Amino acid sequence: MLKHFKHLLTIAGLVVLPIILFSGCLKEGNDTIVLPIPDGKIPYSVIPEKLQDSLRLSGLTIHEGLNPDTINGRFVAAPMVLHYASDNYQELFYDLYMSFSGQTRRGLIKYYETQKRDDINGKSIMANVIGEGKDVTMYCYQNVFECNQKGDTLWRSKTATVVSGTISEEGIKDCQYAHIVLDTWAADEFHASPLSKPGTYRIWYDGDKMAKRLSK
């Protein structure tokens, strides 16, 4: 993931946007967010078509469909093994803890993730599940940023996260995790920027092929 997580990386709870049967919108702060019609695919407004094609060619499985089984509980993916990084990233990825709850009939879900290091976290602002039966894919936006001791933002990054696999009693079989950079910003004084370029991505998988279930 990103380096230099010294002072603040948000995790603060989730603000999840419902995806319903028809087009609509809702307010988050001062922004109006248009909700796409669900069709069992990751909307191109979340991850552009070319990026989705590239992710698949690089080995990411995206399960599509409108009838995913319910995924609920807390899971840990460990050890995390890097499969592909378009930005040549080669550093360690800490054990990934994932929590899923409140899935609706249309796939809206609350997703929360942390890594083994307490200072590496994220905040989801949109999460949804697609797939057929036990083969599911979760996708969401995340806003990640670092502040200095004065509270000034040093950098921020808008990313998309994808978790894909097959639900079982033991956990998520063949679990994959992708991190896609959509947009970045860094303060002028932040010279040692750790940010990857927009359009780059990284794909990991669970080294023992199972993200183990910790709770239901």
Side-chain angles (χ1 to χ4, degrees):
M1 299 287 284
L2 305 175
K3 305 175 185 175
H4 305 298
F5 295 84
K6 293 182 179 179
H7 301 299
L8 174 64
L9 284 178
T10 63
I11 192 92
L14 303 179
V15 182
V16 184
L17 309 181
I19 296 180
I20 50 182
L21 284 169
F22 49 86
S23 293
C25 65
L26 52 105
K27 289 278 188 179
E28 186 189 65
N30 295 321
D31 297 326
T32 299
I33 301 160
V34 178
L35 305 179
I37 299 173
D39 61 358
K41 299 181 180 181
I42 299 176
Y44 295 147
S45 59
V46 177
I47 302 176
E49 182 177 11
K50 289 184 179 179
L51 264 177
Q52 290 192 41
D53 292 343
S54 184
L55 286 161
R56 286 188 174 93
L57 288 172
S58 297
L60 180 67
T61 299
I62 300 176
H63 299 293
E64 297 183 336
L66 285 168
N67 299 294
D69 283 1
T70 298
I71 179 170
N72 193 67
R74 190 165 182 257
F75 304 81
V76 58
M80 292 292 282
V81 179
L82 181 65
H83 173 73
Y84 180 81
S86 65
D87 61 352
N88 298 314
Y89 180 85
Q90 294 294 329
E91 296 191 23
L92 175 67
F93 191 111
Y94 293 85
D95 296 351
L96 177 67
Y97 292 84
M98 303 172 288
S99 295
F100 303 86
S101 63
Q103 183 175 331
T104 70
R105 290 177 60 187
R106 283 294 161 181
L108 168 68
I109 195 168
K110 296 178 182 178
Y111 173 70
Y112 183 90
E113 71 174 41
T114 60
Q115 287 189 46
K116 187 175 181 179
R117 282 176 56 186
D118 293 336
D119 58 347
I120 301 181
N121 301 305
K123 177 184 176 183
S124 296
I125 62 172
M126 178 174 169
N128 205 65
V129 176
I130 56 176
E132 291 291 337
K134 296 186 181 301
D135 296 328
V136 300
T137 294
M138 185 284 304
Y139 61 88
C140 67
Y141 284 128
Q142 294 196 80
N143 287 330
V144 186
F145 58 87
E146 180 185 358
C147 294
N148 60 23
Q149 292 178 335
K150 296 180 180 180
D152 300 322
T153 300
L154 295 176
W155 58 263
R156 60 175 176 263
S157 179
K158 179 181 180 181
T159 66
T161 295
V162 176
V163 178
S164 190
T166 301
I167 304 170
S168 72
E169 285 295 319
E170 294 76 24
I172 306 174
K173 183 180 178 182
D174 297 325
C175 183
Q176 293 179 295
Y177 177 93
H179 173 268
I180 303 103
V181 179
L182 301 173
D183 192 23
T184 60
W185 174 89
D188 292 338
E189 65 270 22
F190 191 58
H191 300 297
S193 174
L195 303 178
S196 297
K197 294 180 180 179
T200 59
Y201 57 85
R202 303 162 187 172
I203 302 170
W204 290 268
Y205 64 90
D206 189 292
D208 59 11
K209 306 297 184 181
M210 179 72 72
K212 294 180 176 59
R213 183 185 295 276
L214 300 178
S215 66
K216 293 187 177 181

